[in-house]
Structure formats: C-alpha cells, structure tokens
Amino acid sequence: MSSFFTIPSAAKKRKRIDTKEPPPKKRLAPPSRQPKPQRDESISGSEDESDEGPQDAADDNEASITGDDESGGEETAAERRLRLAERYLSNIRSEVHEGAHEDFFDAEEIDRDLIAERLKEDVAESKGRMYRKLAPELDFQAATQSWFRWNSASVTSVATCAPWAYTVTKDLGLAKWRIQELPENQWQPKKPGKKQKKPPPPPKRKPEQVAFVKGDRMKAKDNSYQGHVDIILTVAASEDGKFVATGGKDKKIIVWDALTLNPLRVFNQHRDAVTGLAFRRGTNQLYSSSKDRTIKVWSLDELAYVETLFGHQDEVVDVAALAQERCISVGARDRTARLWKVVEETQLVFRGGGGEKKSKHGNPPKPQEGSIDRVAMIDEEMFVTGSDNGSLSLWVIHKKKPVFTLSLCHGEDAPMKPEEASAEANPNPSIVPQPQPRWITALATIPYSDVILSGSWDGSVRVWRVSDDKKKIERVGVVGPSGGLMNGNVDSEKRDIQTSIVKGVINDISILERGDRGKDGVCVIVAVGVEHRLGRWLDQVEGKNGSVVFEIPRHKK
C-alpha cells in the first residue's frame, strides 16, 4: 500500500510546485490591469494603447514619445524630425506675420501662399538650385548712386558683410566702412483717422569710414611684420562678421579681426601673388587662388591651413564658392574653369576658347577668347565666366562647353586715329587696327537668383539675367539713370556708354541684399580705379580712385 513516505522524491517535488502555482497568478492578476490610468507620463508601444487616439495626440505635445519600454524616454528619429518640422513652420509663420501689415493681415493667404512659397524657397536653396527671379522685380533705372573715396590709389577689391564694407587699394590700404541703413517702415500705408508723425529724414547715402590700416613696403624683409608689404589684390569677409581676409602681390594671406582690423594670422604658403579669396557660404572655410597655379583651402575657425588643389596650367586669377564644400576657379590663359569637389578630391574641367575666326554676312569677326578672367556662381549647378574678349559665358556642371555665350557685352574701345597708329606724316587708314573689345574686369551674381552684374571700363555696371529655361543670358540694362531696357542694337549701346556713371576701371563688385532675401532692394558696391587691379596697362586718365554705392529699389506694386 502506497503512502506519502513510499512516493519518489521527484513526484513529490512536481506535486508541490503544481499546488503552489495557482495562488500567485490570482495575486498578480489585479496589478497588471491597473497601469492604464497612468498613461499621461509616457506612451508605450503596446497594442492596448492603440485605441486611445485623443490621449496620444495630447501627449505628443506635452511629453516625449518612446518607441518601446526600453528606450528610457528618448524620442525616435521620426519623432524628432516631426518636432523640428513643427518648430520650423512656427518660425516661418512668425516671420511672415511680422512682415505683414496689421491692417492688411489675411491669415488664410499667409497659410496657403506665403508659407508655401517660403518652404519651396528653403528647399531649393538647401539643394543649391536657383529659385528666385529678381531681375523683373528690381528697378535698376531708379537706382541712386554715391561716390565715396579717400586719398588712395586704385581700389582693387571690395567685400560686404552687413552693415559693413571693406575695400583694399594698391597703396596697401584696408578700410572698413559703415553702410548707411534704409529708413524703416517706408512702405506702410497711412492709417485713417490718426495724425501722422513727421517722416524720418532720408539717410546719408555716403558710407562712413570707421577703421583703416595700411601696410609698409619698407618692412618687406621683416618676417615678424603682420601686414602687407606689396599691393593688396583681393579681400573677403565672412558671413558671421568675425573675419576679414586679404591677399596680395606679397604672397601673403592675412586674417584680420573684423571688429578692430587687428591681424590675427599671416599665411605664407602661396608661392606667388594671391589673386582671389572666397568664403564658403555660411561657414568660415576660405578658398584662395594664386598665380602659383594652385587653390588652397583654409579653416579660419582654427586659423589653419587645410590642403592644396592642383590642376591649372596657368595662373589662377579668380575663385568663387557657395554653400556646398566645393569651389570654382578660372585659369586665365589656360582657358579653363575648374570645379573642385573638396570632399571627393576630384575636379571637373570646363574648356573655353570660343569665338569666330571667319566673319559671317560681311560682319567683322568676333575676337577669340584668350583669357578667362572672372567667375561667379549662380547656384550649385550653374556659373558664369567673363573673358578678355568681352564675352559672358553660361555654364552648367553637366556640360564641358558653355551652353551660351554673349559677345562684346561692354562694347569696344574707340578706333585709333591713323596718326596714332603710325609715325608717317600721311598714314594710310588701312594700317589702323581693329577696335579692341573691353574686357570683363568684374563679375558678380545674387546667389540663387537670375541676376548677373558685370563691369569693365565703359562707365557703367551692366545687368543681365538668366532666361527662364536657364539656357541663355539676356540683356536687362544698366544700373543707374541711364539703365533703360536695351534692345541689343549698337546705337543703344553707344548711348549708354556715353552716359558714364562710373569713371574708371571697375575692378570688383559686391552685392548686399536689403531685408529678408532682398525684400527691401539691393545694395551694390563697386570698386573703381584708374588702373586694372592686376597691372597698369589700362591706365584711364579720366578715371577716379574710389568706390560707388548703388541702392536699387524694388518696383512699387
């Protein structure tokens, strides 16, 4: 007869466990159903919570959302993007509300049109595409101009960082100027039933010099001297207003404190004259071009040299950059433009050298392109170059040849007289050479827009636009009172040239947008000299040394 004492020990253990399992289940069941009222603190990813949509939506705005119980309160990548997008839309909405007048406020129009347009512009700019058509909106003919100068040699370059402008000269001078602000609230309509205050007086258009430093040629052999000892050829200013960089014929790049114009660092890595400087948009990364045929990259946050880019077969005379980590340079008589992809350590080569050797329809032949001297970027995929034959060329990075070339953009010099071309008493008129085209000596664009500005020594700053299909460069006019629309014929060009606003050689152009993305117009500052910035072969006897400020308003709606 079996009893408790005769049952094997294994059976006794199993029986003991089976008898003790049910009570714990009954004790643990009630607590498992109670966490539902505590969901305001955090939301988990269980299936029981999926039917509580309104509570979830409220918690999204109050607490961080976790993907599972183990995340410890951390939001996922998708939730972080959603939160940042909501904050971004809120910022844009507040900016648009500030720009709208209170008497003409339309919430529905702002939400549907203005915010949607601003979002499209931000996406296009982040991708580096042209998204603004400013040429029809700017009133170039109504532009006002003002000379500002001091006792100096030819101004070789100019750079802007609102509200400051920086100019450099051939006599080793670096000057800092305060650009006058526009009067506020000019466009707002009068409020009915209220007495209007006296409008503010118009601001002084002439910039005010606030700082000035000058180099010393006598200290060329002093290695400890932190200043230029030869002609300064180029200047650039960072967008954050911290740094100003200058480069010159003495092979130096000097980084200055933008506030006080005290030198911070001198770089001597280039082996020949520094001809161009450009900051990467939104950063303190600097690109420099030189006659030693190289491009160098610098980091001004660390005041350090980064690397050197090789490839040009002749001196590099200009460089340009936008937001992406790349730059474009032109190599003068190697007649190439090169796009440098710094991260990938690659380059794209674009070859110029256009022109007609034979005449067509009895017209004189167009001069050959001998040197590409200027470059400016329109967006990350398009750029424009200017040459010594007076032509502007439009390029896209997908093609090795220009998609469009416009010849003789600034006309030709007056033909020589027979007695000037020969020492004979009665020279034959046939010995007189053909008139020479005016070079493109300065070139600038408004980034991500269709506006192009060019300069030479014909007495005016000319305006061009990129066509709607992005395949042509079209004439717009001249900045200033004589800037009516040009119909392209020779007579209209001659009339424009006779009205000289800028007397001298335009060596550089810098553009500053007034207001948010140019809503209050554009300020253009032009560096002018009696000599070309790289030499003395274009001595203009009737020219002036100084700079000109153009204030270009928008068309009144």
Side-chain angles (χ1 to χ4, degrees):
M1 182 177 179
S2 63
S3 66
F4 176 81
F5 299 99
T6 60
I7 296 175
S9 61
K12 287 189 284 185
K13 292 180 180 178
R14 285 195 299 271
K15 188 174 182 180
R16 190 180 298 115
I17 293 174
D18 293 339
T19 58
K20 293 182 180 180
E21 283 179 353
K25 290 184 179 178
K26 292 180 181 179
R27 288 195 300 268
L28 294 175
S32 65
R33 298 172 186 168
Q34 293 179 0
K36 288 186 179 179
Q38 302 176 357
R39 282 184 189 146
D40 338 336
E41 300 177 0
S42 64
I43 300 175
S44 63
S46 62
E47 296 180 357
D48 295 338
E49 300 163 356
S50 60
D51 57 347
E52 299 201 0
Q55 182 67 33
D56 292 351
D59 292 335
D60 286 349
N61 298 327
E62 298 176 358
S64 61
I65 303 175
T66 58
D68 50 26
D69 294 335
E70 299 176 0
S71 60
E74 296 180 359
E75 61 181 354
T76 64
E79 292 156 356
R80 181 176 181 272
R81 287 195 296 268
L82 177 62
R83 177 173 57 82
L84 294 178
E86 291 176 349
R87 184 189 302 174
Y88 172 70
L89 287 174
S90 176
N91 294 338
I92 290 182
R93 189 173 288 108
S94 63
E95 291 178 6
V96 174
H97 286 193
E98 292 176 0
H101 191 266
E102 56 183 359
D103 293 340
F104 300 92
F105 179 82
D106 189 348
E108 182 178 358
E109 179 184 358
I110 288 177
D111 289 336
R112 291 184 179 179
D113 299 332
L114 300 181
I115 294 179
E117 182 180 356
R118 179 64 178 268
L119 287 173
K120 291 179 181 178
E121 292 180 356
D122 287 348
V123 171
E125 183 169 347
S126 65
K127 294 184 177 180
R129 298 174 182 172
M130 185 182 75
Y131 62 89
R132 295 183 293 173
K133 295 182 179 179
L134 293 180
E137 299 180 4
L138 295 175
D139 192 355
F140 296 100
Q141 189 172 2
T144 60
Q145 71 272 359
S146 175
W147 273 89
F148 66 98
R149 57 178 298 181
W150 69 105
N151 189 16
S152 68
S154 297
V155 182
T156 56
S157 185
V158 60
T160 55
C161 177
W164 312 106
Y166 305 88
T167 58
V168 291
T169 60
K170 283 194 172 184
D171 57 357
L172 287 63
L174 167 62
K176 179 181 179 180
W177 308 81
R178 181 189 292 276
I179 305 173
Q180 300 299 329
E181 295 293 338
L182 297 177
E184 298 179 356
N185 304 327
Q186 275 188 326
W187 60 273
Q188 292 185 357
K190 296 181 179 179
K191 297 180 181 179
K194 291 186 178 181
K195 187 177 180 180
Q196 298 295 322
K197 295 181 179 180
K198 185 178 180 180
K204 297 180 180 179
R205 293 180 299 180
K206 186 177 180 180
E208 175 188 1
Q209 187 180 113
V210 295
F212 178 76
V213 294
K214 193 172 183 179
D216 190 350
R217 295 179 185 268
M218 303 302 294
K219 296 185 178 181
K221 297 182 180 180
D222 185 0
N223 295 330
S224 63
Y225 178 63
Q226 290 189 318
H228 284 286
V229 295
D230 208 338
I231 295 174
I232 307 176
L233 298 176
T234 180
V235 63
S238 62
E239 287 190 0
D240 60 3
K242 293 182 179 179
F243 304 106
V244 175
T246 58
K249 198 174 179 181
D250 55 2
K251 312 175 188 178
K252 291 182 179 181
I253 296 176
I254 302 180
V255 182
W256 309 80
D257 182 2
L259 182 63
T260 61
L261 291 188
N262 292 328
L264 301 176
R265 185 69 183 273
V266 179
F267 296 114
N268 295 291
Q269 280 83 344
H270 277 295
R271 298 184 177 181
D272 207 336
V274 179
T275 57
L277 294 170
F279 276 95
R280 180 185 168 197
R281 190 178 177 90
T283 70
N284 288 325
Q285 189 175 36
L286 179 69
Y287 302 99
S288 63
S289 62
S290 172
K291 289 187 177 182
D292 63 4
R293 306 182 183 183
T294 66
I295 306 290
K296 292 188 184 294
V297 187
W298 315 85
S299 176
L300 297 196
D301 288 326
E302 293 81 17
L303 294 176
Y305 160 81
V306 178
E307 62 177 313
T308 302
L309 309 175
F310 299 90
H312 278 290
Q313 303 301 312
D314 194 16
E315 56 190 36
V316 189
V317 291
D318 200 9
V319 64
L322 285 181
Q324 295 186 9
E325 198 165 354
R326 55 175 62 177
C327 64
I328 291 181
S329 59
V330 288
R333 295 196 175 274
D334 70 359
R335 294 183 291 184
T336 66
R338 295 177 186 250
L339 172 65
W340 307 88
K341 299 181 179 181
V342 179
V343 177
E344 295 89 343
E345 297 183 351
T346 59
Q347 59 177 294
L348 299 177
V349 183
F350 306 90
R351 302 195 178 276
E356 297 181 5
K357 295 182 179 179
K358 297 182 180 180
S359 62
K360 291 184 178 180
H361 308 291
N363 296 325
K366 297 179 181 179
Q368 290 287 305
E369 186 176 57
S371 173
I372 303 180
D373 298 331
R374 283 298 196 175
V375 62
M377 297 184 70
I378 299 171
D379 59 18
E380 300 292 352
E381 296 186 351
M382 284 194 301
F383 62 96
V384 61
T385 60
S387 306
D388 64 345
N389 64 346
S391 64
L392 288 174
S393 297
L394 180 66
W395 307 74
V396 294
I397 64 174
H398 310 295
K399 295 185 179 181
K400 300 300 182 183
K401 289 288 185 178
V403 296
F404 184 79
T405 299
L406 190 63
S407 302
L408 298 176
C409 294
H410 285 261
E412 299 175 337
D413 282 329
M416 298 177 64
K417 298 179 181 180
E419 54 270 18
E420 295 176 347
S422 175
E424 297 180 2
N426 296 310
N428 190 341
S430 61
I431 67 172
V432 178
Q434 292 290 333
Q436 295 299 307
R438 296 186 178 96
W439 309 344
I440 305 296
T441 57
L443 191 60
T445 61
I446 300 179
Y448 310 112
S449 76
D450 59 345
V451 178
I452 303 171
L453 300 179
S454 65
S456 187
W457 60 89
D458 61 337
S460 59
V461 178
R462 295 188 178 266
V463 187
W464 319 86
R465 67 180 293 268
V466 180
S467 61
D468 295 336
D469 58 2
K470 301 180 181 180
K471 294 182 178 179
K472 293 182 180 179
I473 297 176
E474 300 174 348
R475 301 176 185 268
V476 175
V478 176
V479 179
S482 63
L485 293 177
M486 295 189 297
N487 56 18
N489 59 48
V490 177
D491 294 336
S492 65
E493 292 183 2
K494 286 183 178 180
R495 285 197 297 269
D496 288 337
I497 293 173
Q498 290 175 357
T499 309
S500 297
I501 301 176
V502 184
K503 295 183 178 180
V505 182
I506 299 177
N507 285 318
D508 199 8
I509 300 173
S510 184
I511 302 175
L512 179 66
E513 297 183 53
R514 295 288 196 181
D516 182 26
R517 304 193 181 191
K519 68 177 182 180
D520 296 329
V522 174
C523 176
V524 177
I525 301 182
V526 179
V528 186
V530 298
E531 300 173 352
H532 189 272
R533 69 185 188 109
L534 298 179
R536 303 185 64 180
W537 50 82
L538 289 176
D539 190 3
Q540 300 292 303
V541 178
E542 298 180 356
K544 296 181 180 180
N545 295 324
S547 300
V548 186
V549 179
F550 292 98
E551 292 289 350
I552 304 174
R554 282 181 175 262
H555 285 288
K556 297 180 180 179
K557 297 183 180 180

